């Protein structure tokens, strides 16, 4: 059973179909990547899952029951892309306030916050004000306030923006930790290298519609272009064979595309017959970045305004 | 703990703990007193003692009469001028006069035409009235002399003036003078608090929006709870401040009483307060004040919250959008003077029933007496409509707030905001 299931979600604004019939499901304990270019409808989608917006149609099922924003928000932690904290409030009070709004009692909130503060080396911050924090520090605080109530579902919108590599790694480790301890994580971004590293399952949305849904491996298999890199000892052979076409010649290797109907064995065979000594033979899988660009390219980079008829 | 209570508590505590709250609570009454005493002091000090030459061509005035009038009223000086009149007319300011008056040839029975004070500057109307009164006094004396009225008869004539006082049969205690004072004071206080704390609500909402905490908040609670929590929290701040003022007033009152009316002025003030207290229904006025303060505050601050949610960080945008709301409040204050001068007129009745102006206007009327001046049905209707009014504005503002708080970019117009409010 999936922890969260979205069925045919739609949300139309006056001039845009922000989310146009998107369905997906998130397995418990997984790290789920929600990808898409700017303005694809990611934030609107997340706002529906967090109960901030009501979908125009479609339904959301959370832990097997129909999503009830009044009750279920306590089991969700949401860190929006636009971070926000009360500038004039002390950090400890701020964390306590947000934790209590998530339904924790004050003693419980205080215990959990202190635990997190120790873990992320933030103990000395308690009586400082938010306005005294650097961007990276307030990012860490924001992360703590998002996860302090041990939510079943953690939704992170661009969690690494503004963090240096060291702190990025700290947060990344915490994300893995949360998933290991049973939380499910939805991770929205357009930074593909992080997705490859972190996510189990991804969906890609563009212009309000889902255009890809699967594991990272599946996506790569699906969008691979039968490209192989063969490296050689010594001289590059000037081989031609109907089973492949050469795409690129590098100093010690060539990139070939295996033609339809042929197998990699035929290609290797032909090189071996030509007397070349093969050093390695690798399939080149597309990076998510390549897939992303391929799928999104050709559509205008900025969403156009459209007339919506319901 | 209930989430709404958490929000109210935060909104309340962050404001009450601020230094500005403590300072303004102490300073406001002082400034208010300073303003009242200061302006009346300045008003009495600033009217100039005019020195005016009086050139008499009628032959009716004489130096003795003029000097006696000067002795009775020293706020200006008339100088009966004999000598070269042409030199005065051309050089009065070099001779130390502020102006001169020429009394034309006249017959005492037919009276004097309008007389002109010729001066080289424009003087205030109070100074001119002073001289007019003095001239009239002298003119009366001249007429008495001509008519042969002696001192005794004149005293009789002047002594016997009728003074009229109104007594409301339904409410004998009401006293128009005290009611006017109390009415003005309470209506003005409500006006100040509406504008002051209304704009605090607006700024608070704007702060949440520009700090981008709004989205974090609404992922934990409903936007409506957030808005209402803020409004209630700030209304409690206003009430706290008001209660502190009452406590201050009581302390000062008791200290002055304990010090035994050592000076005349203090005992006079004490008597004045006792007179006010015995003349008006204090519990009723305090209750109504609290009611209209909160009712009016909820009514208007919901609208201010809606505006705060609609604009971005730009203060000017907020001002231009809130202008119509502020105008409504100011309009109600503008109605106050005619209402207090006739608290039972149609204008007064309707303005105190319609929720836009009722918090201010009803508070101006209530000190005149319930049910004497304000029948129970009017008070009841006004309160009921105010409650309905703020339920409506809160609902209406909540709809705008919900959309506005997550909306960045262009400032919406009132028309767009109405659209947000009335769509499904």
């Amino acid at each position: 059973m999936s922890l969260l299931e979205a069925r045919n979600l739609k949300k139309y604004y006056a001039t845009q179909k922000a989310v146009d019939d998107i369905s997906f499901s998130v397995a418990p304990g997984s790290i789920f990547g929600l990808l898409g270019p700017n303005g694809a409808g990611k934030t609107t989608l997340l706002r529906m899952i967090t109960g901030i917006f009501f979908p125009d149609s479609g339904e959301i099922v959370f832990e097997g029951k129909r999503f009830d924003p009044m009750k279920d928000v306590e089991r969700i932690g949401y860190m929006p892309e636009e971070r926000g904290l009360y500038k004039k409030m002390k950090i400890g009070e701020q964390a306590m306030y947000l934790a209590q709004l998530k339904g924790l009692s004050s003693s419980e909130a205080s215990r959990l916050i202190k635990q997190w503060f120790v873990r992320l080396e933030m103990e000395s911050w308690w009586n400082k004000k938010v306005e005294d924090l650097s961007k990276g520090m307030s990012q860490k605080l924001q992360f703590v306030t998002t996860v302090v109530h041990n939510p079943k579902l953690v939704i992170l919108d661009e969690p690494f923006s503004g963090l240096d590599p060291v702190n990025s790694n700290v947060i990344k480790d915490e994300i893995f930790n949360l998933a290991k301890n049973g939380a499910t994580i939805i991770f929205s971004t357009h930074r593909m290298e992080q997705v490859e590293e972190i996510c189990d399952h991804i969906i890609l949305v563009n212009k309000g519609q889902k255009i890809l849904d699967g594991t990272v491996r599946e996506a790569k298999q699906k969008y691979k272009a039968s490209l192989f890199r063969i490296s050689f000892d010594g001289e590059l052979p000037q081989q031609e064979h109907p089973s492949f076409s050469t795409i690129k010649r590098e100093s010690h290797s060539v990139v070939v595309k295996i033609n339809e109907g042929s197998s990699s064995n035929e290609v290797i065979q032909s090189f071996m017959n030509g007397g070349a000594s093969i050093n390695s033979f690798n399939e080149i899988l597309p990076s998510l970045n390549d897939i992303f660009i391929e799928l999104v390219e050709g559509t205008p980079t900025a969403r156009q305004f459209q007339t919506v008829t319901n | 703990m209930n989430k709404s209570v958490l929000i109210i508590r935060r909104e309340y505590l962050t404001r009450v703990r601020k230094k500005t709250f403590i300072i303004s609570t102490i300073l406001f009454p002082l400034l208010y007193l300073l303003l009242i005493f200061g302006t009346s002091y300045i008003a009495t000090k600033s009217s100039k003692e005019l020195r005016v030459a009086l050139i008499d061509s009628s032959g009716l005035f004489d130096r003795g009469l003029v000097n006696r009038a000067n002795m009775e009223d020293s706020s200006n000086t008339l100088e009966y001028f004999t000598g070269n009149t042409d030199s005065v007319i051309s050089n009065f300011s070099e001779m130390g006069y502020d102006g001169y008056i020429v009394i034309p040839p006249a017959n005492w029975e037919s009276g004097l035409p309008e007389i002109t004070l010729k001066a080289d500057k424009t003087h205030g109307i109070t100074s001119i009235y002073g001289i007019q009164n003095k001239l009239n006094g002298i003119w009366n004396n001249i007429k008495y002399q001509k008519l042969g009225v002696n001192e005794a008869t004149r005293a009789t004539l002047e002594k016997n003036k009728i003074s009229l006082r109104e007594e409301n049969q339904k409410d004998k205690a009401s006293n128009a003078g005290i009611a006017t004072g109390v009415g003005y004071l309470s209506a003005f206080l409500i006006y100040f608090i509406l504008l002051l704390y209304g704009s605090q609500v607006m700024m608070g909402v704007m702060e949440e929006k520009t700090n981008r905490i709004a989205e974090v908040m609404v992922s934990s609670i409903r936007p409506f709870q957030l808005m209402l929590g803020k409004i209630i929290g700030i209304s409690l701040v206003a009430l706290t401040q008001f209660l502190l003022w009452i406590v201050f007033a009581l302390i000062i009152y008791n200290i002055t009483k304990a010090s035994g009316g050592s000076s005349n002025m203090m005992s006079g003030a004490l008597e004045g307060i006792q007179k006010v207290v015995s003349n008006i229904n204090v519990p009723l006025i305090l209750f109504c004040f609290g009611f209209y303060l909160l009712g009016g505050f909820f009514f208007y601050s919901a609208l201010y919250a809606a505006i705060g949610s609609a604009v971005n960080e730009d203060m000017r945008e907020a001002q231009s959008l809130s202008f119509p709301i502020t105008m409504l409040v100011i309009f109600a204050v503008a109605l106050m003077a005619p209402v207090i001068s006739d608290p039972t007129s149609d204008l007064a009745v309707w303005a105190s029933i319609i929720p836009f102006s009722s918090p201010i206007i009803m508070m101006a009327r209530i000190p005149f007496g319930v049910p004497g001046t304000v029948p129970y049905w009017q008070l009841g209707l006004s309160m009921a409509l105010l409650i309905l009014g703020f339920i409506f504005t809160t609902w209406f503002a909540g709809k705008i707030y919900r959309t506005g708080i997550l909306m960045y970019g262009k400032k919406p117009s009132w028309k767009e905001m109405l659209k947000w409010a009335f769509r499904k």
Side-chain angles (χ1 to χ4, degrees):
Chain A
M1 191 188 70
S2 46
L3 179 92
L4 178 87
E5 204 178 330
R7 292 184 191 145
N8 305 96
L9 290 184
K10 282 186 192 172
K11 180 85 186 172
Y12 292 178
Y13 298 136
T15 54
Q16 289 219 322
K17 295 177 175 179
V19 170
D20 190 10
D21 200 3
I22 291 184
S23 307
F24 61 90
S25 67
V26 183
S30 69
I31 303 182
F32 182 92
L34 173 61
L35 322 179
N38 295 328
K42 296 190 300 274
T43 303
T44 306
L45 198 54
L46 293 181
R47 283 180 180 174
M48 288 192 282
I49 300 170
T50 47
I52 295 172
F53 286 167
F54 294 112
D56 290 344
S57 71
E59 66 172 344
I60 301 167
V61 177
F62 184 69
E63 294 190 304
K65 286 192 292 281
R66 204 190 152 87
F67 178 60
D68 173 12
M70 299 299 273
K71 224 170 67 238
D72 291 338
V73 286
E74 292 186 357
R75 331 230 324 123
I76 295 179
Y78 175 43
M79 177 157 98
E81 182 175 7
E82 299 284 3
R83 321 267 190 257
L85 294 163
Y86 288 105
K87 285 206 176 76
K88 301 276 175 200
M89 254 179 129
K90 286 181 182 163
I91 281 141
E93 285 175 14
Q94 174 106 42
M96 288 289 292
Y97 179 55
L98 292 173
Q100 289 181 66
L101 281 178
K102 284 290 185 190
L104 295 184
S105 71
S106 86
S107 59
E108 221 180 341
S110 147
R111 185 178 60 83
L112 289 168
I113 290 165
K114 288 198 173 120
Q115 214 170 304
W116 272 102
F117 274 26
V118 171
R119 188 129 122 224
L120 296 182
E121 292 160 10
M122 295 158 60
E123 304 101 299
S124 63
W125 298 9
W126 193 275
N127 281 318
K128 292 270 181 301
K129 282 189 179 165
V130 173
E131 56 190 355
D132 300 330
L133 296 183
S134 71
K135 199 178 166 202
M137 288 160 105
S138 59
Q139 188 89 315
K140 261 171 127 173
L141 174 61
Q142 194 101 43
F143 180 78
V144 171
T145 60
T146 308
V147 299
V148 70
H149 58 293
N150 289 322
K152 278 308 265 187
L153 178 63
V154 182
I155 299 173
L156 304 169
D157 199 349
E158 296 289 353
F160 302 117
S161 72
L163 284 179
D164 62 48
V166 178
N167 279 312
S168 269
N169 275 334
V170 172
I171 298 294
K172 207 185 317 176
D173 290 343
E174 292 303 334
I175 293 175
F176 282 128
N177 238 331
L178 288 170
K180 211 170 67 194
N181 293 328
T184 308
I185 289 140
I186 295 182
F187 178 47
S188 162
T189 187
H190 45 248
R191 303 266 305 273
M192 295 303 143
E193 70 282 2
Q194 295 165 352
V195 177
E196 285 193 46
E197 212 180 324
I198 297 173
C199 294
D200 310 317
H201 193 109
I202 55 168
I203 65 170
L204 176 59
V205 293
N206 190 29
K207 297 172 105 182
Q209 282 166 333
K210 185 172 79 172
I211 54 177
L212 175 70
D213 186 342
T215 64
V216 175
R217 218 184 100 79
E218 279 165 8
K220 288 188 169 190
Q221 290 297 328
K222 187 170 173 197
Y223 288 95
K224 69 182 179 185
S226 309
L227 291 179
F228 291 82
R229 174 173 283 116
I230 312 165
S231 55
F232 301 94
D233 282 336
E235 284 286 296
L236 286 185
Q238 301 292 326
Q239 196 80 25
E240 294 285 341
H241 192 267
S243 62
F244 67 90
S245 39
T246 308
I247 303 292
K248 201 163 62 176
R249 305 181 74 83
E250 291 159 354
S251 57
H252 289 287
S253 57
V254 284
V255 175
V256 299
K257 182 175 169 49
I258 298 181
N259 292 329
E260 215 154 312
S262 310
S263 71
S264 47
N265 282 4
E266 284 175 60
V267 179
I268 297 171
Q269 195 74 51
S270 85
F271 277 107
M272 284 163 67
N273 292 344
S277 78
I278 296 173
N279 204 351
S280 68
F281 181 86
N282 294 315
E283 180 164 24
I284 302 176
L285 284 174
S287 68
L288 275 183
N289 214 21
D290 298 333
I291 298 173
F292 182 92
I293 290 169
E294 192 192 320
L295 287 175
V296 172
E297 218 176 29
T299 64
T301 44
R303 280 195 87 172
Q304 304 302 308
F305 290 103
Q306 51 194 153
T307 37
V308 174
T309 44
N310 283 318
Chain B
M1 201 189 303
N2 187 314
K3 288 180 187 176
S4 300
V5 177
L6 277 171
I7 294 167
I8 294 169
R9 197 183 62 171
R10 192 200 85 91
E11 296 293 340
Y12 179 78
L13 287 179
T14 47
R15 285 184 172 74
V16 172
R17 278 191 298 195
K18 262 191 205 157
K19 281 191 202 79
T20 45
F21 174 80
I22 298 162
I23 293 170
S24 72
T25 307
I26 296 170
L27 279 189
F28 188 80
L30 290 179
L31 282 177
Y32 194 78
L33 289 179
L34 204 71
L35 196 76
I36 290 172
F37 288 119
T39 47
S40 59
Y41 177 76
I42 291 166
T44 51
K45 276 293 155 191
S46 66
S47 59
K48 196 172 171 235
E49 284 181 30
L50 292 184
R51 187 159 172 267
V52 175
L54 182 75
I55 302 163
D56 179 28
S57 328
S58 65
L60 296 166
F61 287 64
D62 67 50
R63 190 179 297 275
L65 276 171
V66 174
N67 285 347
R68 206 169 69 193
N70 279 337
M71 272 163 64
E72 280 165 7
D73 172 12
S74 59
S75 67
N76 53 48
T77 313
L78 282 179
E79 223 165 276
Y80 185 74
F81 191 83
T82 48
N84 187 352
T85 51
D86 289 343
S87 74
V88 181
I89 289 169
S90 47
N91 308 312
F92 65 90
S93 57
E94 282 82 3
M95 295 169 76
Y97 295 113
D98 293 298
Y100 66 91
I101 291 169
V102 178
I103 306 286
N107 183 333
W108 69 271
E109 285 168 296
S110 56
L112 284 170
E114 188 177 69
I115 292 174
T116 317
L117 168 64
K118 306 227 160 121
D120 57 355
K121 266 186 272 179
T122 305
H123 296 99
I125 196 129
T126 6
S127 325
I128 304 304
Y129 271 138
I131 294 175
Q132 180 180 297
N133 286 341
K134 190 174 277 186
L135 280 175
N136 272 323
I138 300 171
W139 187 239
N140 277 342
N141 283 338
I142 293 171
K143 285 189 282 186
Y144 289 144
Q145 278 178 2
K146 295 285 180 195
L147 287 166
V149 177
N150 63 20
E151 287 289 330
T153 328
R154 192 192 308 170
T156 319
L157 277 174
E158 274 166 15
K159 191 170 63 187
N160 194 16
K161 274 187 184 149
I162 295 170
S163 77
L164 180 68
R165 191 176 74 87
E166 187 188 15
E167 188 183 272
N168 187 328
Q169 281 306 297
K170 287 186 196 149
D171 187 0
K172 291 213 171 139
S174 83
N175 173 312
I178 289 170
T180 303
V182 175
Y184 263 116
L185 183 71
S186 17
F188 262 116
L189 272 178
I190 289 189
Y191 161 73
F192 276 129
I193 289 174
L194 284 189
L195 284 191
L196 211 67
Y197 285 91
S199 66
Q200 279 216 27
V201 170
M202 185 169 79
M203 307 275 273
V205 173
M206 282 171 70
E207 186 206 349
E208 266 165 7
K209 190 173 172 182
T210 50
N211 283 354
R212 313 266 168 163
I213 185 135
E215 193 166 355
V216 176
M217 296 299 291
V218 297
S219 73
S220 303
I221 45 161
R222 310 298 323 146
F224 191 70
Q225 276 178 299
L226 181 59
M227 184 183 88
L228 214 56
K230 185 173 288 290
I231 291 175
I232 294 173
I234 294 178
S235 74
L236 291 178
V237 178
L239 271 187
T240 308
Q241 190 157 52
F242 182 66
L243 287 178
L244 283 176
W245 286 340
I246 290 182
V247 171
F248 286 161
L250 283 178
I251 291 172
I252 292 170
Y253 176 72
N254 282 319
I255 289 174
T256 40
K257 205 156 96 176
S259 66
S262 48
S263 73
N264 275 338
M265 200 189 88
M266 274 191 185
S267 62
L270 283 180
E271 252 171 57
I273 290 169
Q274 271 153 1
K275 202 172 158 203
V276 169
V277 170
S278 62
N279 256 297
I280 57 171
N281 185 345
V282 176
L284 175 83
I285 286 188
L286 279 182
F287 168 76
C288 288
F289 186 86
F291 178 85
Y292 280 102
L293 176 67
L294 287 181
F297 181 76
F298 286 145
F299 185 88
Y300 277 105
S301 61
L303 295 176
Y304 279 114
I307 290 165
S309 76
V311 298
N312 299 304
E313 48 258 69
D314 192 351
M315 214 34 229
R316 274 172 306 178
E317 284 181 3
Q319 268 163 2
S320 72
L321 266 184
S322 62
F323 181 70
I325 310 287
T326 310
M327 275 317 287
L328 281 176
V329 182
I330 291 174
F331 179 66
V333 170
L335 287 179
M336 204 159 73
V339 165
I340 283 187
S341 68
D342 186 358
T344 50
S345 63
D346 284 351
L347 172 77
V349 170
W350 289 112
S352 65
I353 286 174
I354 295 167
F356 284 105
S357 50
S358 67
I360 290 171
I361 299 299
M362 192 50 111
M363 266 332 284
R365 286 181 72 206
I366 284 174
F368 287 90
V370 179
T373 304
V374 185
Y376 286 122
W377 70 266
Q378 286 181 11
L379 189 59
L381 183 62
S382 161
M383 286 182 162
L385 282 181
L386 186 58
I387 291 173
L388 285 180
F390 77 64
I391 290 173
F392 172 75
T393 56
T394 315
W395 167 85
F396 168 81
K399 302 274 256 181
I400 294 177
Y401 183 88
R402 200 182 65 185
T403 310
I405 195 132
L406 295 173
M407 193 92 112
Y408 295 95
K410 188 172 132 287
K411 175 193 88 167
S413 64
W414 270 103
K415 203 176 127 200
E416 282 169 283
M417 285 163 66
L418 287 176
K419 234 193 268 169
W420 296 350
F422 291 110
R423 70 168 180 220
K424 55 168 178 139

